[in-house]
Amino acid sequence: VRYTSYSTAAGTAPPGCAMTNRVARTSSAARITGGPTTIPVRSEASPTTTDTRISTGPASDWRHCEYLGNAAPYLQRVAAQHPEGIRLGAGAHQVTYPGNWKLQVENSIDGYHFSFVHRSFMEVVADRSGSTTSLQNLAGAGDVSVIDLGGGHAVADRGDATQGTLGGIPFNLNVFPNLCVLGLQVRHVIPKSVARTEVCLYPMLHAGASVEHNASILRAHEDFNGPAGAGTADDMEIAFFRVGDGLEATENDWLVLSRGLHRERPGENGVLIGHPSDEVAQRAFYRRWRQLMGGRT
Amino acid sequence: MIPQDPAEFVFHEAHLLDRGYLDEWLALYADDAIYWLPQRDDDNPAQQVSLIYDNRTSLRGRVVRLKSGFAHSQLPPSRTTHLVGNVRVIRDEADEVEVHSTLMVVEARRREQSVYAGAMEHLLARTDEGLRVRRKVVRLVSGDIPLGNLTFLI
């Protein structure tokens, strides 16, 4: 099994990123790979720009994607969020932190931390809007489910009606092991060592949309993300740096991820559904990880 | 008092940042201000993602956040020294003046020291209240490599 979750078909990536706009200059096709199956994703690159366009191919192309399993329909929705597909042509934020890569994967789908870790961001939103009603929307009020999709994949699904927490797609998707899609971005988590991680955050532009429209996506993305973004930095401080400190404690060898275990319920296609603040997605990840590492399942 | 000499103005901004005078710092910026940290020199902010591309509302948001008591990535806050050098007045006109300089920021936080450096551009508007920043660009030499916590104010 190959664990490369995302790669470009052409070009050699610079250290750190699987794909940057520099690489995409010459790429003619992007594909999502993993396991023995390669999923065809239509991609058109313009020779004069850095665009890489991704749109959904025929549904039959996805049928054979055993590795993605229940995650495939969500990836199709990612590509279908705009009629002409999405572009990853704006480059990427690159961040690094002194901690383990799995913390970023856990965090990308976690519904429990937002209202505490990102409290300062919500204060800014309240300052701009002059009210606190938007805080409730940001905190994810409404009908949210966190679903273990099998194969280590998981999703926090906010349903069809509501917008995403920070705009963009209405779900946070983790494709095992290190690809996350949430809000306005594709997130590629790159382990450098046991205690050093780099992350590339690619804003998802709308193919065929106006420059002004896509610029507004960039501004919304930058507001929260990147080394100077309010959200990313607070995640690094709390969820990676301080949690990493806690993991160094020697009193107890075990990290308990049992929250909501008693109220998981089965859904269609073998999925497990839980409350948004439960550790359903984290259990999904670590079950698969332990299996691949040779542990008991 | 906000200095009216362009070079002194840029030094004054650095001083306010190092002392943590956030409201006084924000007051240096005009209502139509743009504050830009590109990743690379040839980036277009409409087409490439920037480290920061703030308007006045976004800048105010940074100050609101830092003062909120919940900005974990700045609790404890970074301590910084902004060193501004090579100051050159590029263009001096009736309504605005453009100043280029070199910036080095040494930042210490959580027992670690980081250094950021780059070229800085200030476009200063001459208003009834004196000089105000209409546009500030900081082109970091490290803008396109993986960075850590850049939530103190450059």
Side-chain angles (χ1 to χ4, degrees):
Chain A
V1 177
R2 292 172 56 206
Y3 299 118
T4 309
S5 59
Y6 199 93
S7 64
T8 51
T12 303
C17 275
M19 185 169 75
T20 71
N21 55 6
R22 289 178 175 170
V23 177
R25 260 182 236 281
T26 54
S27 74
S28 56
R31 63 172 185 247
I32 298 170
T33 63
T37 313
T38 296
I39 307 114
V41 179
R42 273 215 309 275
S43 170
E44 300 150 25
S46 160
T48 55
T49 72
T50 58
D51 293 351
T52 295
R53 183 175 297 193
I54 301 173
S55 54
T56 54
S60 59
D61 291 350
W62 295 78
R63 208 176 40 194
H64 306 291
C65 181
E66 290 175 27
Y67 182 86
L68 291 175
N70 293 324
Y74 285 99
L75 278 175
Q76 279 186 299
R77 284 173 65 188
V78 170
Q81 65 184 288
H82 192 72
E84 296 181 47
I86 60 167
R87 283 168 39 208
L88 303 181
H93 278 142
Q94 302 174 71
V95 298
T96 180
Y97 63 85
N100 191 271
W101 66 280
K102 296 191 288 300
L103 294 173
Q104 170 71 94
V105 179
E106 284 189 47
N107 164 263
S108 291
I109 200 168
D110 178 64
Y112 192 82
H113 78 290
F114 196 95
S115 58
F116 170 71
V117 172
H118 301 306
R119 171 82 182 266
S120 73
F121 181 79
M122 294 193 286
E123 298 279 335
V124 173
V125 173
D127 177 68
R128 282 180 197 170
S129 66
S131 78
T132 56
T133 52
S134 60
L135 298 189
Q136 289 163 348
N137 296 334
L138 270 173
D143 186 22
V144 187
S145 297
V146 177
I147 307 171
D148 174 347
L149 296 170
H153 317 307
V155 70
D157 194 333
R158 287 182 286 280
D160 295 328
T162 56
Q163 271 291 302
T165 309
L166 301 166
I169 54 174
F171 53 83
N172 293 26
L173 175 69
N174 276 2
V175 178
F176 187 88
N178 65 338
L179 180 74
C180 314
V181 191
L182 60 159
L184 301 163
Q185 70 183 284
V186 175
R187 185 178 282 182
H188 183 197
V189 185
I190 305 155
K192 305 303 285 188
S193 75
V194 66
R196 173 60 62 182
T197 303
E198 292 176 9
V199 190
C200 292
L201 315 169
Y202 297 87
M204 294 186 284
L205 304 180
H206 291 169
S210 69
V211 171
E212 292 74 21
H213 175 83
N214 279 325
S216 72
I217 290 177
L218 293 178
R219 299 295 90 84
H221 172 84
E222 291 153 0
D223 228 17
F224 192 82
N225 295 288
T232 299
D234 283 347
D235 277 332
M236 290 199 291
E237 174 71 19
I238 299 287
F240 312 154
F241 189 89
R242 295 191 200 175
V243 167
D245 258 5
L247 292 171
E248 293 294 315
T250 54
E251 283 297 303
N252 193 331
D253 288 339
W254 294 94
L255 179 66
V256 179
L257 292 171
S258 62
R259 184 177 166 83
L261 189 59
H262 64 287
R263 56 180 172 181
E264 283 182 351
R265 55 191 168 83
E268 291 176 12
N269 299 325
V271 305
L272 285 171
I273 304 170
H275 185 272
S277 74
D278 291 347
E279 289 163 326
V280 176
Q282 287 75 21
R283 286 192 287 273
F285 176 91
Y286 282 108
R287 280 193 197 106
R288 179 67 177 147
W289 182 80
R290 185 173 60 181
Q291 184 184 34
L292 291 169
M293 290 292 150
R296 65 188 171 82
T297 57
Chain B
M1 276 296 290
I2 299 176
Q4 293 310 299
D5 173 77
E8 292 293 335
F9 183 97
V10 176
F11 295 147
H12 181 66
E13 181 187 23
H15 167 76
L16 294 178
L17 290 175
D18 288 341
R19 295 299 178 92
Y21 294 134
L22 301 181
D23 292 321
E24 291 80 358
W25 171 76
L26 187 61
L28 300 180
Y29 283 75
D31 287 343
D32 60 349
I34 292 293
Y35 183 102
W36 184 33
L37 264 74
Q39 296 200 69
R40 286 168 292 265
D41 284 353
D42 57 352
D43 276 358
N44 175 346
Q47 296 182 329
Q48 275 90 34
V49 64
S50 299
L51 293 170
I52 296 173
Y53 193 85
D54 277 0
N55 58 20
R56 185 61 159 66
T57 301
S58 316
L59 281 182
R60 175 184 159 83
R62 287 185 190 275
V63 172
V64 168
R65 189 180 102 81
L66 290 171
K67 292 170 67 176
S68 71
F70 303 106
H72 310 295
S73 55
Q74 283 298 309
L75 294 171
S78 299
R79 282 175 292 149
T80 61
T81 291
H82 287 66
L83 183 65
V84 180
N86 303 4
V87 180
R88 295 177 299 144
V89 174
I90 297 298
R91 189 161 60 86
D92 195 346
E93 292 169 5
D95 60 334
E96 59 185 27
V97 54
E98 187 171 349
V99 187
H100 289 193
S101 59
T102 304
L103 174 70
M104 179 178 286
V105 181
V106 178
E107 181 241 5
R109 182 170 184 272
R110 283 200 180 282
R111 302 165 62 87
E112 277 198 26
Q113 178 172 292
S114 303
V115 176
Y116 301 87
M120 189 156 61
E121 304 164 15
H122 281 82
L123 181 63
L124 305 176
R126 296 188 194 281
T127 74
D128 293 341
E129 289 81 41
L131 292 177
R132 292 292 183 273
V133 181
R134 179 166 284 159
R135 181 179 169 86
K136 173 175 168 176
V137 184
V138 181
R139 302 178 189 278
L140 294 177
V141 295
S142 56
D144 65 346
I145 66 173
L147 296 173
N149 179 357
L150 207 63
T151 55
F152 61 92
L153 292 169
I154 291 272

